[in-house]
Amino acid sequence: MSDTISLMRNIGISAHIDSGKTTLTERILFYTEKIHAIHEVRGKDGVGATMDSMELEKERGITIQSAATNVTWRGHGINIIDTPGHVDFTIEVERALRVLDGAILVLCGVGGVQSQSITVDRQLKRYGVPRLAFVNKLDRTGANPFKVRDQLEAKLGLNAVMAQYPIGLEEKHEGVVDLVTMKALYFDGGAGETIREGEIPESLVDEVQKYRELLLDAASMFDDELMEGIMEGEVTEEQIRRAIRAGTVANELCPVFLGSAYKNKGVQPLLDAVTGYLPSPGEVENRALDIDNNESEVVIESDAKKPVVALAFKLEDGQYGQLTYVRIYQGTIKKAGDLYNVRTRKKFKVGRLIRMHSNHMEDITEAVAGDIVALFGIDCASGDTFCDPSLNVSMTSMFVPNPVISLAISPKDKAAADKMGKAIGRFVKEDPTFRSYVDEESNETIIQGMGELHLDVYVERMRREYKAEVDTGAPQVAFRETITVRADYDYTHKKQTGGSGQFGRVAGYIEPTGNDENYEFVNEIKGGVIPTEYVPSVDKGFRTAMETGTFIGYPVVNVRACVNDGSTHPVDSSDQAFQTAARTAFRESYMKAKPIALEPIMKVSVEGPSEFQGNIFASLNQRRGIILASNEDGMFSVVEAEVPLSEMFGYSTVLRSLTQGKAEFTMEFAKYGKVPQSIAEELREKYEKARKEGK
């Protein structure tokens, strides 16, 4: 592994909303001399944090798009991706994690492990990303890093171990004790830029010694030399660091660091930990699928001399054209060099190659394995693999959840229609969880996404960035339908027109799958009563029929369709005839299978002061919510529930007024559940009425 690669780190900063991720990133940029002044997220100077480059981000004080930047710390190049904490922008987190080698999990010293921290941790585990924990906001009233460490173990199942000990908490928070060097660290100067080492305050010596022993005990599991040293009573800092690194890289240890980013405390030691404990690209095994060899897995090596393999993980439409963020896994990308897009099978030349710093950029001539850079003006989609023309491998794609909410939007005039079309085209390409289509019946443009805030932000961006004035309808829920009992079918499609006609007979049954399979096709044809070439046509007919059910007019899920008999005509049978036969057979047997309506059920987590817990319970019960758990932690309580999405519209306004604006909630899709009878009847009536009017 070359020195360049071993000195490189690709890290993400992820956490629950409002844990101070963007504030932390701002400090990192300042201490690594990328910026010369610190701006706050909701800055009085009106500048906003450096990484929140969108106007909307500055106004709302949240991160919407993950921003990439590159910094240098003590000879190490670090690519940092600041990811959103809000669950509606989960794809941004997924995309970032797909290309990262390590992460900093930021936790609030007061709130601890919150609902979104759990989601983020689950995503980190999905991609096997090693992490450090940073307990932030220790200057806040009620901060308790020891409680947060316990929660990391209990709620996330992490082998979390304190690498530092706090010197004072709340308004008395002065600094930290490094449990490796056994030195007290204070952060002096106007912005905490001067680190002053001192002796451990006498009152803390016993506690510090206790936590150092816990650290050594946990780290020694990953290094025999350290274990021997402990037994002999002589350990070196080098041994401890090596052991902590081994445990962290193996994803079996999570060192916990402390501080207050807002008060400029504890950030530089965290940067030391990033370079010291998180893996370089060369220490992470990446795999790709060999397309020429039946998609068998091949290991990609972080070697700058081998043929290029890179993944386009994020697209952005900047003022100079499309910007494609790329993670290079193998080889070297050079300006004016040739690359091949595996999906489109097209070759292209690398034009501008740039390194990003939030929304600023610097031109470079080449970038090597392990690096994250951006390319200009390349026609591609998010998730495409680029490789050397001599290779044909694809990096595995990332997990993209299906949208759960839709909204009808219409332009106010002809000029707005063109701008709206452009905006939607760009957003769909940028964000795989944002989708759009034109409803055939109403001719309305429908946009779909992960939640109200997700769609709100895109509508607002249409107005601001594209000057497209649009009207929006009421949000629509993505209902589904399914069947509850088995029903047999036997249908013959016969049509005689001049010349050859159409003939196809299919028989079998449909039944509920009883699992999460949305659709299963079972072929039990014997003796060739339906020729092999027509069996896929039957499958296709069923799939088409399931696109729109006849109970409430929504897609059908969780159905097993079996074909076990049929007949053909030597002249009149065709692909089309069997598709039509299967489609009609499905529709005729569908109502006999006792269909029911399903609705998306969201996992909702409400956090707020305990005094409002009764109000929170009542508000969720009114919305057909089922309370799953309620945890009270001093003055703070967390209520977890499952609530139908259709009942959650406008909940943020209601929650604010019930709790004097002190509570917040997050929600994510959990499952599809049965719609109550009364609501199902309303949906059925609405569908029948629309069908009659349509006729």
Side-chain angles (χ1 to χ4, degrees):
M1 182 171 59
S2 76
D3 279 354
T4 316
I5 293 171
S6 67
L7 293 174
M8 205 182 279
R9 299 288 180 274
N10 290 318
I11 65 158
I13 299 181
S14 39
H16 182 87
I17 190 166
D18 238 7
S19 295
K21 289 188 313 299
T22 303
T23 306
L24 174 64
T25 310
E26 193 75 4
R27 299 311 183 266
I28 289 173
L29 297 178
F30 178 72
Y31 297 132
T32 55
E33 296 177 2
K34 264 282 175 179
I35 56 175
H36 304 296
I38 290 171
H39 300 295
E40 300 311 335
V41 176
R42 292 181 176 88
K44 289 192 181 73
D45 54 11
V47 177
T50 309
M51 298 294 272
D52 286 348
S53 54
M54 263 164 74
E55 283 223 344
L56 260 173
E57 296 183 305
K58 288 174 185 171
E59 266 176 42
R60 296 186 182 219
I62 59 170
T63 304
I64 293 167
Q65 290 184 311
S66 54
T69 189
N70 172 272
V71 300
T72 305
W73 181 253
R74 304 201 173 156
H76 290 76
I78 306 174
N79 289 310
I80 300 174
I81 295 192
D82 175 30
T83 59
H86 205 287
V87 74
D88 281 19
F89 308 105
T90 189
I91 192 66
E92 290 285 343
V93 185
E94 291 278 346
R95 272 198 277 223
L97 294 178
R98 176 69 186 82
V99 298
L100 295 175
D101 305 320
I104 300 172
L105 183 60
V106 184
L107 302 140
C108 171
V110 183
V113 174
Q114 294 163 280
S115 58
Q116 190 65 16
S117 326
I118 296 169
T119 304
V120 164
D121 181 70
R122 199 165 55 235
Q123 291 169 322
L124 288 169
K125 283 173 180 155
R126 183 185 295 139
Y127 293 109
V129 180
R131 83 227 51 184
L132 308 172
F134 180 67
V135 182
N136 193 19
K137 302 193 177 185
L138 293 191
D139 58 306
R140 292 262 302 271
T141 306
N144 183 346
F146 307 106
K147 180 194 79 180
V148 181
R149 191 222 67 87
D150 293 345
Q151 288 178 344
L152 285 167
E153 197 169 357
K155 292 188 177 181
L156 305 183
L158 297 175
N159 182 12
V161 58
M162 305 288 270
Q164 293 174 339
Y165 188 91
I167 302 173
L169 289 171
E170 302 179 353
E171 73 279 2
K172 293 179 184 153
H173 178 55
E174 293 175 40
V176 295
V177 174
D178 185 328
L179 297 178
V180 175
T181 62
M182 290 300 272
K183 287 270 188 273
L185 304 177
Y186 300 96
F187 304 88
D188 299 339
E193 65 275 22
T194 310
I195 300 175
R196 173 168 53 88
E197 280 192 3
E199 291 306 312
I200 300 164
E202 233 167 87
S203 57
L204 300 180
V205 169
D206 291 346
E207 278 292 292
V208 165
Q209 195 55 49
K210 184 179 108 184
Y211 278 94
R212 176 179 165 91
E213 276 162 25
L214 290 171
L215 172 67
L216 294 181
D217 195 37
S220 65
M221 306 306 288
F222 305 99
D223 192 294
D224 294 341
E225 222 176 281
L226 177 62
M227 197 174 269
E228 277 172 35
I230 293 169
M231 286 171 171
E232 288 162 14
E234 206 175 297
V235 296
T236 65
E237 287 176 21
E238 179 51 42
Q239 285 172 337
I240 303 171
R241 288 203 174 94
R242 194 171 58 228
I244 295 173
R245 179 180 178 78
T248 309
V249 170
N251 217 348
E252 289 176 28
L253 190 69
C254 175
V256 180
F257 294 85
L258 314 173
S260 163
Y262 184 62
K263 291 284 171 73
N264 312 315
K265 289 180 171 62
V267 179
Q268 300 95 319
L270 181 65
L271 280 168
D272 289 336
V274 165
T275 57
Y277 302 141
L278 288 177
S280 70
E283 291 169 287
V284 178
E285 188 176 272
N286 291 297
R287 294 171 178 271
L289 304 176
D290 186 347
I291 291 168
D292 297 335
N293 198 2
N294 213 7
E295 293 202 354
S296 60
E297 280 200 346
V298 288
V299 174
I300 300 291
E301 292 176 45
S302 295
D303 186 338
K305 295 187 175 69
K306 295 210 160 191
V308 178
V309 178
L311 176 76
F313 67 94
K314 179 176 162 59
L315 308 182
E316 241 175 57
D317 216 0
Q319 60 204 72
Y320 308 109
Q322 183 175 295
L323 196 58
T324 306
Y325 284 87
V326 171
R327 158 76 200 258
I328 309 169
Y329 286 95
Q330 179 178 284
T332 302
I333 291 184
K334 291 184 176 168
K335 196 174 171 177
D338 285 334
L339 284 177
Y340 163 73
N341 185 330
V342 175
R343 182 183 58 87
T344 62
R345 305 192 171 278
K346 285 184 182 164
K347 219 161 110 170
F348 64 90
K349 217 167 212 41
V350 177
R352 271 182 84 187
L353 181 65
I354 54 174
R355 198 181 291 295
M356 285 304 293
H357 167 47
S358 186
N359 56 344
H360 307 295
M361 51 191 77
E362 68 180 89
D363 282 272
I364 53 175
T365 54
E366 65 172 45
V368 298
D371 217 340
I372 291 176
V373 289
L375 305 172
F376 252 125
I378 290 163
D379 185 29
C380 66
S382 190
D384 281 358
T385 301
F386 302 145
C387 60
D388 186 275
S390 66
L391 291 179
N392 193 14
V393 298
S394 169
M395 300 302 294
T396 47
S397 62
M398 42 198 175
F399 169 78
V400 178
N402 284 320
V404 291
I405 180 171
S406 56
L407 195 63
I409 60 167
S410 54
K412 287 193 173 169
D413 51 40
K414 177 74 179 76
D418 296 343
K419 290 171 184 169
M420 184 181 95
K422 270 186 193 163
I424 289 176
R426 168 186 162 187
F427 299 152
V428 166
K429 209 170 180 186
E430 259 182 36
D431 181 351
T433 58
F434 177 79
R435 298 178 196 175
S436 162
Y437 67 94
V438 174
D439 187 302
E440 286 176 11
E441 288 174 15
S442 64
N443 215 16
E444 283 182 313
T445 300
I446 309 290
I447 55 174
Q448 298 175 302
M450 301 309 294
E452 257 185 305
L453 178 64
H454 192 204
L455 296 184
D456 272 357
V457 164
Y458 277 121
V459 169
E460 193 57 33
R461 283 181 67 189
M462 280 178 206
R463 292 190 180 120
R464 291 188 188 202
E465 294 172 34
Y466 285 86
K467 306 286 183 280
E469 285 304 316
V470 295
D471 291 320
T472 58
Q476 296 296 309
V477 174
F479 288 104
R480 294 285 181 267
E481 6 183 317
T482 190
I483 54 177
T484 53
V485 298
R486 171 177 159 149
D488 295 328
Y489 64 84
D490 186 342
Y491 178 76
T492 307
H493 172 63
K494 206 190 277 185
K495 197 174 180 187
Q496 199 60 51
T497 48
S500 63
Q502 286 185 17
F503 181 90
R505 175 179 158 259
V506 289
Y509 61 87
I510 58 172
E511 65 179 3
T513 58
N515 55 30
D516 287 338
E517 282 285 330
N518 268 344
Y519 169 69
E520 223 178 288
F521 177 67
V522 182
N523 174 10
E524 287 181 2
I525 294 293
K526 291 186 176 68
V529 288
I530 295 178
T532 317
E533 69 263 29
Y534 294 138
V535 173
S537 311
V538 177
D539 181 14
K540 198 171 176 187
F542 285 140
R543 284 178 192 272
T544 313
M546 283 177 66
E547 283 171 12
T548 313
T550 50
F551 181 58
I552 57 168
Y554 281 88
V556 181
V557 293
N558 303 349
V559 171
R560 181 181 294 116
C562 172
V563 59
N564 54 24
D565 197 9
S567 49
T568 56
H569 184 282
V571 177
D572 292 352
S573 286
S574 65
D575 163 50
Q576 200 54 51
F578 274 100
Q579 273 194 52
T580 308
R583 200 161 50 240
T584 316
F586 185 88
R587 286 185 180 144
E588 283 194 353
S589 57
Y590 185 63
M591 293 312 280
K592 290 187 282 185
K594 296 189 177 166
I596 56 166
L598 300 173
E599 62 185 340
I601 306 290
M602 309 303 280
K603 181 183 167 222
V604 178
S605 179
V606 187
E607 302 182 4
S610 299
E611 60 190 287
F612 299 114
Q613 199 182 45
N615 293 359
I616 293 168
F617 277 170
S619 70
L620 292 169
N621 287 330
Q622 281 167 357
R623 290 174 156 65
R624 297 194 280 125
I626 295 165
I627 309 287
L628 302 177
S630 154
N631 299 312
E632 223 170 311
D633 202 341
M635 307 293 288
F636 207 69
S637 75
V638 181
V639 180
E640 302 211 344
E642 283 184 347
V643 191
L645 174 64
S646 57
E647 302 286 347
M648 287 302 291
F649 297 132
Y651 184 59
S652 51
T653 314
V654 171
L655 185 65
R656 260 186 232 121
S657 62
L658 283 176
T659 62
Q660 298 167 15
K662 290 177 184 171
E664 58 176 41
F665 79 97
T666 57
M667 67 176 186
E668 59 185 305
F669 174 71
K671 61 184 180 186
Y672 270 96
K674 187 181 173 185
V675 172
Q677 190 64 34
S678 58
I679 296 172
E681 280 166 14
E682 274 175 42
L683 289 166
R684 176 108 181 105
E685 278 170 31
K686 199 170 150 191
Y687 168 65
E688 288 295 343
K689 189 180 167 195
R691 218 162 55 147
K692 282 182 186 134
E693 284 171 4
K695 283 174 186 171

